[in-house]
Amino acid sequence: MSLEKKDEFDHKGWMKEKDLTPVETTYLTALIWLDTRLRIVDYLEILETLYYRVNLQMPKSHTEQYNLDNKFWYWYPLYTLGLFSTLAYIVAAISGALLGFYYSPATSGDPTTAYSQIEFIMTELQFGFMLRSVHRWSAQVMVAAVFLHMLRVYFTGAYKEPRELNWLIGIVLISLTMVFGYTGYLLPWDQLAFWAGQIGVEMSLSIPLAGEWVAQLLFGGFTLSQATLQRMYIIHVFLLPFVVTTLIAIHIGIVWVQGIAEPH
Ligand code: HEM
């Protein structure tokens, strides 16, 4: 400590009063007066500790802890992409449940019931075209947001220890998001759906050894039929929602417990 600096403190190490502005003097006098009677500094510290314990997702940030100041501020908007994926998922789930009031996965009739129900939603149901568009757009926004979220996690190094497990859950989530997209794409049972389904069957058949078994299990055979549409429907509206909702909850739960990683 330089000589001038030393002069600013008295023999107890307290800052000499002459260096304080009137506002500081008033604040400190009031604080000391209150503290000697109510121990408020102790309680404020307890409150601060409690705040950090309860808000595990908001521990002192890396930037605060290591005094990085504002070096990394430009990354921060990208930290909203996970939440953005969650919101897109919720919108897709709600609009999808409403579409479910009108859709039926049946391949009977010409045009098929599935296709004519989509026609009904698009042309006759009030705001049906909007409901379907909200569902398709939210689904596509979700795919894009999840992908960008993964890039953010990768480029900020947030997948490293201790977050490897959440990275792996993320890989499962992005894969299931794509399965959501694929199974949903088949539901209108139009030409696009039909030929995408055909490609799916052929891709399954190309798997060594287990190919035929996979095609039977997922598509109900080697050509498209009622069994195919029914499977896509149940995967899309029953199996995936359960699994993906649970995994998102675990994924966000882990983020809550571990806290957000900041750029290294
Ligand atoms: C349905 C898909 C997903 C949802 C809803 C989701 C949601 C979230 C949310 C809300 C966060 C908090 C931080 C943030 O928003 O950036 C987060 C963090 C994280 N996510 Fe995801 N995520 C998904 C997919 C993925 C994917 C595909 C990966 C990587 C393969 C991944 C890996 C991680 C990791 C490692 C963290 C911790 C990051 C950190 O601590 O900074 N997530 N996720």
Side-chain angles (χ1 to χ4, degrees), residues 2-232:
S2 72
L3 206 59
E4 307 95 73
K5 276 260 177 227
K6 214 173 174 182
D7 283 350
E8 289 169 15
F9 300 90
D10 65 14
H11 65 284
K12 282 185 185 164
W14 287 78
M15 201 185 242
K16 284 184 183 163
E17 215 167 297
K18 68 178 169 61
D19 296 318
L20 299 175
T21 65
V23 176
E24 285 168 335
T25 313
T26 317
Y27 168 71
L28 280 178
T29 312
L31 189 68
I32 291 165
W33 191 90
L34 281 172
D35 193 47
T36 44
R37 283 157 187 84
L38 303 169
R39 290 179 50 204
I40 57 167
V41 174
D42 281 356
Y43 288 113
L44 282 176
E45 272 170 14
I46 291 172
L47 266 183
E48 195 190 2
T49 317
L50 195 70
Y51 172 82
Y52 284 119
R53 290 240 170 109
V54 171
N55 295 279
L56 271 179
Q57 75 273 38
M58 288 188 287
K60 274 209 172 91
S61 72
H62 193 272
T63 319
E64 279 173 304
Q65 246 173 35
Y66 300 102
N67 233 346
L68 297 172
D69 296 324
N70 285 332
K71 243 182 226 163
F72 294 119
W73 65 269
Y74 46 81
W75 284 103
Y76 292 167
L78 303 178
Y79 282 67
T80 60
L81 283 165
L83 177 66
F84 202 61
S85 317
T86 315
L87 290 180
Y89 178 62
I90 292 171
V91 173
I94 294 171
S95 53
L98 293 176
L99 282 174
F101 288 172
Y102 304 99
Y103 175 80
S104 162
T107 57
S108 55
D110 184 23
T112 62
T113 308
Y115 184 77
S116 51
Q117 285 306 101
I118 298 287
E119 266 187 334
F120 167 77
I121 291 168
M122 292 302 280
T123 56
E124 286 174 56
L125 180 67
Q126 287 212 16
F127 292 106
F129 66 96
M130 206 157 113
L131 187 59
R132 185 169 175 227
S133 303
V134 167
H135 191 65
R136 286 192 82 117
W137 273 100
S138 54
Q140 297 189 48
V141 163
M142 181 178 168
V143 174
V146 169
F147 182 67
L148 293 174
H149 167 63
M150 189 169 100
L151 289 186
R152 189 291 277 172
V153 168
Y154 180 76
F155 284 112
T156 55
Y159 56 85
K160 292 178 192 169
E161 192 196 343
R163 297 184 175 78
E164 309 91 325
L165 183 63
N166 234 9
W167 173 265
L168 293 178
I169 294 178
I171 298 287
V172 177
L173 275 172
I174 199 170
S175 311
L176 293 184
T177 304
M178 286 188 283
V179 179
F180 245 130
Y182 179 74
T183 50
Y185 194 74
L186 296 205
L187 296 185
W189 213 238
D190 52 9
Q191 283 292 311
L192 289 173
F194 193 85
W195 294 109
Q198 195 61 42
I199 291 171
V201 171
E202 279 160 31
M203 280 173 72
S204 307
L205 285 175
S206 72
I207 300 172
L209 303 176
E212 290 190 5
W213 182 80
V214 173
Q216 283 282 2
L217 179 74
L218 294 182
F219 294 92
F222 306 142
T223 52
L224 300 187
S225 65
Q226 172 66 44
T228 317
L229 185 58
Q230 212 155 324
R231 276 156 211 237
M232 293 302 127

